[in-house]
Amino acid sequence: MPFSLFDHTAPHAEASRLVAFANSRLDRRSEHRNEHELGDALNDENTRYFAIAEGRLAMGIASGAPQGLLSKSDLEVMQPNYGDAILIGWTEDQAPRVAVPVEISVDTLPQTYKAIDARSIYRQVLMDEETLGAYALANSLVVWALANRYCGACGGPMTPEAGGYRRKCRACGHTTFPRTDPVAIMLAVDEARDRCLLGRSPHFPPGMYSCLAGFIEPGETMEDAVRRETLEESGIHIGRVRYHASQPWPMPHSLMIGVYAEAKSLEIDRDTAELEDCRWFDREETARMLATALGEAEALAPPAGAIAHRLMRDWLDWKT
Amino acid sequence: MPFSLFDHTAPHAEASRLVAFANSRLDRRSEHRNEHELGDALNDENTRYFAIAEGRLAMGIASGAPQGLLSKSDLEVMQPNYGDAILIGWTEDQAPRVAVPVEISVDTLPQTYKAIDARSIYRQVLMDEETLGAYALANSLVVWALANRYCGACGGPMTPEAGGYRRKCRACGHTTFPRTDPVAIMLAVDEARDRCLLGRSPHFPPGMYSCLAGFIEPGETMEDAVRRETLEESGIHIGRVRYHASQPWPMPHSLMIGVYAEAKSLEIDRDTAELEDCRWFDREETARMLATALGEAEALAPPAGAIAHRLMRDWLDWKT
C-alpha cells in the first residue's frame, strides 16, 4: 500500500463516529438561510419539534417508549415561545426540525409528557443515535438563544435571524452567533508501566472514574490546555499529546476534544477542590471497569457513548 | 524502539508550537483566582498593560520599534476603563499582565502612540512570539468582556469577577465565561495526483490563497464540520480527516483546529458568495508559493505563523 498521511494505527478510522450525540443527519443549510424558512416550517405539518422546558426535553410518554420529537399539537399545552424557536435543519425527506423553548413549568406538564434532562436521556438511551444527534443541536441552540435574549453590548432586545441561527440587536446592531465551547478531555497514559490516569469528581455517580477534562481558554493551543489542565488537576506533567476523537456535548454547548496525553511524571498531587480521588489504573483494572457493572469491579467507567469510555476502550484495543 | 501511541510520522512532534499567537508563557492561575488580585495588580508598579482602543492595540512608538506592553502612566492619556480590566496572568517573575479597554478615540491618541489591529501586528511581526501570545489572550478577553457588559438572559448589568475571567449578572445571577469559537481549517489533499485544494476569499491580500475554513457548529464533530464546510465551499467530498495542529486566533476569539482532509472527488463547484477562486495546486506550485514573494509565483501563501502556512509546509515536508 502506498504511503498516505491519512493512515492511522488507531483501532478505528474515525473514533468520533462512535460517540453519543455525534450522529445527527440533519441538513443545516446554515450558509444559505433566509428569513421565511422558519415561518414556512412552523406552518408545515411534516415539521417535528424538540420542546425544551426549564432546560429539559418534554418527551411524550403516552405510547410507551418516550418520544423526543413532538408534533405541533403536542406543543399547544406547553406555552410554546415560537419567537425564540430555531429551525435546526431538514431530514433527507425535507421534513423540517424545529427546537422550541416552552414556558410551562415542568411540574404542571400533562401526565402524557415528562421533562427529562440531557444527561438522563443519554445515560438511559432514550433515543436512537440519529435523533440524539439532532437533539444535541436543539438543546445547545435553545440554551444559547435564551442566554442571548438581550444584547451583551448595550442591553437592548435581540431579534433572531436566519431561522434562529444568529441574533441581532435592534438598538446597536451587535450580532451574535451560536456558542460552542471547546473542552479538552484527556486520557493520560504512563506507557512504561502500562497504566492510565483517571479521576473522580464529587458530582459523578457512585464509583465512577473518568478522564480529566477542562475548557480550552482563549489564547492557548489545544495541546497547552491539555498540559495545563492535567497539571492543575492531578500534578502530572504531560509531554506529547495525540488527538483521538471529538464529540458534541450539549450540556449545554461544548465540543469535547478527546486526546491521549503522555505522562512524564508519576506522583499525583490532586486538586482537592475539583476531584475526590485521582489515581493510576492498570490495563486489567481498566478492562474490568469497561466490561462489568459496579460491584463486580472496583470502579465504574463512563457509559459507552462517552468520549472518555472511547479513549479508555481504544487505549486497550490499540494495535501494537 | 518500543511501540508508542504517541509516535507520529509528522514532520514535527507538535506543529501547534510553530504557529503565531501560540507562545504565551503567562501563568493564568484561572482555577485559583480571588477577588483582590486585580486590585493588587493595578497598584503594582511591575504590572504592564495591553490597552485596547476600538478593537486595536495602542502601541507606544516614541522609542523606535512599537511597544505593545505599556506602563500605567502611558494609560493616563487614554481614558482607561479599569472597571472592565482583566488580569490575564503573571510572568515567571510574578509581574502581572493586565488587559484594559481604553475609551479614547484612536484618532485622538497622542503622536507617541499608534493603534494597530491584530492582523497587522501579526503580519508585520511587531512583537516577539511570547508577547504576541499574551496579546492574543488580552484581545480575546477584552472583546468578550465588552460584548458581555449586559446580561443576555435579563438585560441587567454584568459585574466582572475573578479578575475579569467571568462576568455575573447582579439582577438574575446568570454567569458567563470567556468565549472561544472552534474553527476547522483544512488542507484537502488529493494524494493520487499529489495536489492540494486552496481557495481565495475576496477579503484576502492580492494573490493570496489559503486553506478552506469554517466554524464548527453546535451538535457536530470536528470531522463532520470539515466535511460539511469543504463540501459547501468547494463541492469536494472528503473522506478521512487527520488532526495536525491548533492555533489561538484572537480575531476576536477563535481556536483554529488544523487538519488534513482526504479528497474523495475532483470536480470543484465553488461557493461564489464565499470564494472568488478555488483550485488545485500541485506540489511544485505550493512550494513556490511558500518560498517566494508574489510576482515570482502565481500565487501567495499565508504568512509563516499562519496555521494554513503550516499545513501547506508540512504536507510538502512529510516524511514518506
Side-chain angles (χ1 to χ4, degrees):
Chain A
M1 215 174 88
F3 169 83
S4 163
L5 56 80
F6 297 103
D7 289 333
H8 287 246
T9 53
H12 311 285
E14 188 168 317
S16 302
R17 289 181 185 272
L18 304 174
V19 295
F21 300 116
N23 294 289
S24 165
R25 298 184 60 175
L26 295 182
D27 183 355
R28 299 152 186 265
R29 300 185 203 158
S30 45
E31 308 267 324
H32 301 286
R33 294 300 192 91
N34 64 43
E35 295 308 321
H36 64 77
E37 286 165 333
L38 175 58
D40 291 349
L42 295 177
N43 290 317
D44 184 337
E45 64 178 22
N46 294 313
T47 300
R48 291 294 173 271
Y49 299 84
F50 290 108
I52 313 291
E54 298 177 7
R56 300 193 234 168
L57 182 68
M59 299 186 80
I61 54 171
S63 56
Q67 298 297 315
L69 284 166
L70 303 180
S71 62
K72 199 166 188 181
S73 60
D74 290 302
L75 270 60
E76 281 168 17
V77 295
M78 300 183 188
Q79 303 162 42
N81 166 8
Y82 289 118
D84 285 319
I86 301 152
L87 177 59
I88 59 171
W90 289 262
T91 66
E92 272 185 277
D93 302 340
Q94 304 307 313
R97 293 285 182 265
V98 172
V100 184
V102 298
E103 292 175 356
I104 190 171
S105 159
V106 295
D107 300 329
T108 59
L109 269 177
Q111 292 198 339
T112 47
Y113 303 96
K114 189 175 177 192
I116 305 181
D117 64 285
R119 207 171 290 268
S120 301
I121 290 168
Y122 143 74
R123 286 203 179 135
Q124 297 168 27
V125 195
L126 300 184
M127 284 178 190
D128 64 88
E129 281 295 315
E130 192 174 331
T131 308
L132 190 66
Y135 163 62
L137 180 54
N139 196 56
S140 294
L141 289 171
V142 166
V143 172
W144 163 78
L146 296 182
N148 287 276
R149 298 176 71 183
Y150 296 91
C151 175
C154 82
M158 300 288 268
T159 305
E161 294 185 342
Y165 257 77
R166 63 172 184 260
R167 296 176 75 90
K168 187 171 180 178
C169 177
R170 283 179 292 206
C172 76
H174 178 66
T175 300
T176 190
F177 292 88
R179 176 170 173 148
T180 301
D181 300 316
V183 171
I185 179 164
M186 44 270 178
L187 188 67
V189 177
D190 168 15
E191 289 193 310
R193 288 157 201 81
D194 209 20
R195 58 190 188 168
C196 69
L197 183 72
L198 301 172
R200 184 175 153 70
S201 155
H203 313 294
F204 284 176
M208 193 177 107
Y209 282 73
S210 187
C211 296
L212 305 184
F215 289 103
I216 301 176
E217 296 198 350
E220 73 183 344
T221 66
M222 179 271 278
E223 292 83 354
D224 282 341
V226 168
R227 286 186 283 260
R228 178 182 54 74
E229 286 283 348
T230 307
L231 186 62
E232 283 173 5
E233 294 194 359
S234 69
I236 297 297
H237 292 265
I238 295 299
R240 289 177 287 182
V241 171
R242 181 184 172 132
Y243 173 84
H244 188 57
S246 60
Q247 177 182 36
W249 189 249
M251 304 165 211
H253 35 51
S254 290
L255 175 71
M256 309 299 281
I257 299 178
V259 306
Y260 292 103
E262 181 190 33
K264 300 288 276 184
S265 67
L266 305 174
E267 280 302 312
I268 294 170
D269 176 17
R270 166 172 60 93
D271 178 345
T272 53
E274 294 264 328
L275 296 176
E276 64 179 35
D277 194 17
C278 182
R279 61 184 180 87
W280 296 105
F281 288 75
D282 67 23
R283 187 171 288 267
E284 289 67 36
E285 282 179 290
T286 309
R288 277 199 301 277
M289 288 171 74
L290 292 164
T292 60
L294 188 62
E296 299 167 54
E298 311 91 294
L300 192 68
I307 195 167
H309 184 109
R310 194 77 255 150
L311 286 162
M312 293 162 70
R313 179 80 263 160
D314 291 351
W315 171 55
L316 297 177
D317 292 348
W318 212 278
K319 195 175 74 190
T320 58
Chain B
M1 215 173 88
F3 169 83
S4 163
L5 56 80
F6 298 104
D7 289 334
H8 287 245
T9 54
H12 311 285
E14 188 170 316
S16 303
R17 289 180 184 272
L18 304 173
V19 296
F21 300 115
N23 294 289
S24 165
R25 298 184 60 175
L26 295 184
D27 182 356
R28 299 153 188 262
R29 300 185 203 157
S30 44
E31 308 267 325
H32 302 285
R33 294 301 192 89
N34 64 44
E35 295 308 322
H36 64 76
E37 288 167 334
L38 175 59
D40 292 349
L42 295 177
N43 289 317
D44 183 337
E45 64 179 18
N46 294 313
T47 302
R48 291 294 174 272
Y49 299 83
F50 290 107
I52 313 291
E54 296 177 8
R56 299 193 233 169
L57 182 68
M59 300 186 79
I61 55 171
S63 56
Q67 299 297 315
L69 283 166
L70 303 181
S71 62
K72 200 165 186 182
S73 60
D74 289 302
L75 270 60
E76 281 168 15
V77 296
M78 298 182 188
Q79 304 163 41
N81 166 9
Y82 289 118
D84 285 318
I86 300 151
L87 177 58
I88 60 170
W90 289 262
T91 65
E92 272 184 277
D93 303 339
Q94 305 306 315
R97 293 285 183 265
V98 172
V100 184
V102 298
E103 292 176 356
I104 190 170
S105 158
V106 296
D107 300 331
T108 59
L109 268 176
Q111 292 199 342
T112 47
Y113 302 97
K114 189 174 178 193
I116 306 181
D117 65 285
R119 206 171 291 268
S120 301
I121 290 169
Y122 143 76
R123 284 201 181 137
Q124 296 167 30
V125 195
L126 300 184
M127 283 178 191
D128 64 87
E129 281 295 313
E130 192 174 330
T131 308
L132 190 65
Y135 163 62
L137 180 54
N139 197 58
S140 294
L141 288 171
V142 166
V143 172
W144 164 77
L146 296 181
N148 287 275
R149 298 177 71 183
Y150 296 90
C151 175
C154 82
M158 299 290 267
T159 305
E161 293 185 344
Y165 257 77
R166 61 172 185 260
R167 296 176 75 90
K168 186 170 181 179
C169 177
R170 284 180 290 207
C172 76
H174 178 66
T175 300
T176 190
F177 293 88
R179 177 170 172 147
T180 301
D181 300 316
V183 172
I185 178 163
M186 43 271 177
L187 188 66
V189 177
D190 167 15
E191 289 193 308
R193 289 159 201 81
D194 209 20
R195 60 190 188 168
C196 68
L197 183 73
L198 299 172
R200 188 179 148 68
S201 154
H203 313 293
F204 284 176
M208 194 176 105
Y209 283 72
S210 188
C211 296
L212 306 184
F215 289 102
I216 301 176
E217 296 197 352
E220 72 181 347
T221 65
M222 178 272 277
E223 292 83 354
D224 282 342
V226 168
R227 285 185 283 258
R228 178 182 55 75
E229 285 283 348
T230 308
L231 186 63
E232 283 173 6
E233 293 193 1
S234 70
I236 297 298
H237 292 263
I238 295 299
R240 289 177 289 181
V241 172
R242 182 187 171 131
Y243 174 83
H244 189 58
S246 61
Q247 178 181 38
W249 189 249
M251 304 165 209
H253 36 52
S254 290
L255 175 70
M256 309 299 281
I257 299 177
V259 306
Y260 293 103
E262 180 190 34
K264 301 287 278 183
S265 68
L266 304 174
E267 280 301 313
I268 293 168
D269 177 18
R270 167 172 60 92
D271 177 347
T272 54
E274 294 265 328
L275 296 176
E276 66 177 37
D277 194 17
C278 181
R279 63 182 179 89
W280 295 105
F281 288 75
D282 67 23
R283 188 171 286 267
E284 289 65 37
E285 282 179 291
T286 309
R288 277 199 301 278
M289 288 171 74
L290 291 165
T292 60
L294 189 63
E296 297 166 54
E298 313 89 293
L300 192 67
I307 194 167
H309 184 108
R310 193 78 257 149
L311 285 162
M312 293 162 69
R313 179 79 264 159
D314 290 351
W315 170 56
L316 297 177
D317 292 349
W318 213 278
K319 196 174 72 189
T320 58

Short mmCIF file of all heavy atoms in Angstrom, two decimals, chain B residues 6 13 44 68 85 114 134 145 152 228 233 236 254 275 296 300 309-310:
data_model
loop_
_atom_site.label_atom_id
_atom_site.label_comp_id
_atom_site.label_asym_id
_atom_site.label_seq_id
_atom_site.Cartn_x
_atom_site.Cartn_y
_atom_site.Cartn_z
N PHE B 6 1.99 7.56 20.93
CA PHE B 6 2.29 8.97 20.70
C PHE B 6 3.17 9.20 19.47
O PHE B 6 3.44 10.33 19.11
CB PHE B 6 2.94 9.59 21.94
CG PHE B 6 2.01 9.54 23.11
CD1 PHE B 6 2.18 8.61 24.11
CD2 PHE B 6 0.93 10.40 23.17
CE1 PHE B 6 1.30 8.55 25.18
CE2 PHE B 6 0.04 10.33 24.22
CZ PHE B 6 0.22 9.41 25.23
N ALA B 13 7.04 17.03 16.20
CA ALA B 13 6.37 16.38 17.31
C ALA B 13 5.10 17.14 17.68
O ALA B 13 4.10 16.56 18.08
CB ALA B 13 7.30 16.30 18.51
N ASP B 44 0.36 47.64 41.41
CA ASP B 44 1.71 47.07 41.39
C ASP B 44 2.51 47.75 40.26
O ASP B 44 2.10 47.72 39.10
CB ASP B 44 1.59 45.56 41.13
CG ASP B 44 2.92 44.83 41.17
OD1 ASP B 44 3.98 45.47 40.97
OD2 ASP B 44 2.90 43.60 41.39
N GLY B 68 4.15 46.94 22.64
CA GLY B 68 2.79 46.51 22.94
C GLY B 68 2.44 46.62 24.41
O GLY B 68 1.29 46.87 24.76
N ALA B 85 -11.26 45.99 33.18
CA ALA B 85 -9.91 45.45 33.02
C ALA B 85 -9.89 43.96 33.37
O ALA B 85 -10.71 43.49 34.16
CB ALA B 85 -8.93 46.20 33.92
N LYS B 114 0.30 54.58 18.68
CA LYS B 114 -0.42 54.27 17.44
C LYS B 114 -1.29 53.04 17.68
O LYS B 114 -0.82 52.05 18.25
CB LYS B 114 0.57 54.00 16.31
CG LYS B 114 -0.08 53.89 14.95
CD LYS B 114 0.91 53.78 13.81
CE LYS B 114 0.18 53.63 12.49
NZ LYS B 114 1.07 53.20 11.42
N ALA B 134 0.63 36.52 24.63
CA ALA B 134 -0.07 37.19 25.72
C ALA B 134 -1.09 38.19 25.17
O ALA B 134 -2.21 38.33 25.68
CB ALA B 134 0.93 37.90 26.63
N ALA B 145 -15.35 40.69 26.97
CA ALA B 145 -15.88 41.47 28.10
C ALA B 145 -16.80 42.58 27.61
O ALA B 145 -17.90 42.79 28.16
CB ALA B 145 -14.72 42.05 28.92
N GLY B 152 -27.28 38.68 28.91
CA GLY B 152 -28.07 38.23 27.77
C GLY B 152 -29.41 37.63 28.19
O GLY B 152 -30.36 37.62 27.42
N ARG B 228 -18.51 18.99 6.01
CA ARG B 228 -19.61 19.91 5.64
C ARG B 228 -19.08 21.19 5.01
O ARG B 228 -19.52 21.62 3.95
CB ARG B 228 -20.44 20.23 6.89
CG ARG B 228 -21.59 21.21 6.63
CD ARG B 228 -22.39 21.56 7.88
NE ARG B 228 -21.56 22.06 8.97
CZ ARG B 228 -21.03 23.28 9.03
NH1 ARG B 228 -21.21 24.15 8.04
NH2 ARG B 228 -20.28 23.65 10.06
N GLU B 233 -18.18 24.86 0.52
CA GLU B 233 -17.36 25.91 -0.10
C GLU B 233 -16.79 25.52 -1.47
O GLU B 233 -16.62 26.36 -2.32
CB GLU B 233 -16.22 26.33 0.84
CG GLU B 233 -16.75 27.02 2.09
CD GLU B 233 -15.66 27.72 2.89
OE1 GLU B 233 -14.48 27.71 2.47
OE2 GLU B 233 -16.01 28.30 3.93
N ILE B 236 -16.14 19.69 -3.01
CA ILE B 236 -15.29 18.49 -2.91
C ILE B 236 -15.74 17.62 -1.72
O ILE B 236 -15.94 18.13 -0.62
CB ILE B 236 -13.80 18.89 -2.74
CG1 ILE B 236 -13.31 19.66 -3.98
CG2 ILE B 236 -12.92 17.67 -2.46
CD1 ILE B 236 -13.34 18.87 -5.29
N SER B 254 -11.06 32.89 18.45
CA SER B 254 -11.24 31.56 17.87
C SER B 254 -10.13 30.62 18.30
O SER B 254 -9.06 31.05 18.75
CB SER B 254 -11.26 31.64 16.34
OG SER B 254 -12.43 32.28 15.89
N LEU B 275 -16.08 32.58 -2.02
CA LEU B 275 -14.75 32.46 -2.63
C LEU B 275 -14.73 33.04 -4.02
O LEU B 275 -15.65 32.80 -4.81
CB LEU B 275 -14.35 30.97 -2.71
CG LEU B 275 -14.19 30.22 -1.40
CD1 LEU B 275 -13.90 28.74 -1.67
CD2 LEU B 275 -13.07 30.83 -0.56
N GLU B 296 6.98 36.47 -8.22
CA GLU B 296 7.82 35.33 -8.59
C GLU B 296 7.00 34.05 -8.66
O GLU B 296 7.41 33.07 -9.26
CB GLU B 296 8.95 35.16 -7.56
CG GLU B 296 9.88 36.37 -7.53
CD GLU B 296 10.78 36.35 -6.31
OE1 GLU B 296 11.47 35.35 -6.10
OE2 GLU B 296 10.76 37.36 -5.56
N LEU B 300 0.27 33.63 -3.71
CA LEU B 300 0.97 33.90 -2.46
C LEU B 300 0.37 33.04 -1.35
O LEU B 300 -0.85 32.92 -1.25
CB LEU B 300 0.77 35.38 -2.12
CG LEU B 300 1.60 36.02 -1.03
CD1 LEU B 300 3.06 36.09 -1.45
CD2 LEU B 300 1.06 37.42 -0.75
N HIS B 309 -0.35 28.11 6.51
CA HIS B 309 1.03 28.00 6.03
C HIS B 309 1.66 26.70 6.55
O HIS B 309 2.30 25.95 5.82
CB HIS B 309 1.81 29.22 6.51
CG HIS B 309 3.22 29.31 6.01
ND1 HIS B 309 3.63 30.23 5.07
CD2 HIS B 309 4.33 28.59 6.32
CE1 HIS B 309 4.92 30.08 4.83
NE2 HIS B 309 5.38 29.09 5.58
N ARG B 310 1.45 26.46 7.85
CA ARG B 310 1.99 25.26 8.50
C ARG B 310 1.46 23.99 7.82
O ARG B 310 2.22 23.04 7.57
CB ARG B 310 1.54 25.30 9.96
CG ARG B 310 2.19 24.35 10.89
CD ARG B 310 3.56 24.82 11.30
NE ARG B 310 4.57 24.08 10.60
CZ ARG B 310 5.77 24.58 10.27
NH1 ARG B 310 6.12 25.82 10.56
NH2 ARG B 310 6.63 23.83 9.63
#
